[in-house]
Amino acid sequence: MNRSAYLQGYAKGQQDFCLPDNITAFANSGKDFPASCNSVADSAQLKHQWQQVMDK
């Protein structure tokens, strides 16, 4: 396995997925906050957004 390629792909996936609209959709579906988004730069903001939707 090419670890470097894997990590680059994982980072690209985070960049493409860990967006406010996707987090809102996850929360509206009753899903937990995605663990893969815990390490993105704006994770605190995304978690806050997710929690606000879950609390409605």
Side-chain angles (χ1 to χ4, degrees):
M1 177 174 155
N2 183 333
R3 181 170 169 73
S4 178
Y6 169 81
L7 293 174
Q8 287 175 344
Y10 189 86
K12 176 69 172 139
Q14 284 179 305
Q15 179 183 356
D16 293 346
F17 179 75
C18 299
L19 301 171
D21 289 343
N22 292 336
I23 297 303
T24 297
F26 249 55
N28 282 328
S29 297
K31 296 179 181 177
D32 291 336
F33 185 81
S36 60
C37 295
N38 282 330
S39 61
V40 298
D42 58 346
S43 66
Q45 180 181 1
L46 292 172
K47 283 181 187 178
H48 178 72
Q49 177 181 336
W50 173 85
Q51 190 63 58
Q52 285 184 319
V53 174
M54 291 297 286
D55 289 344
K56 289 183 182 180

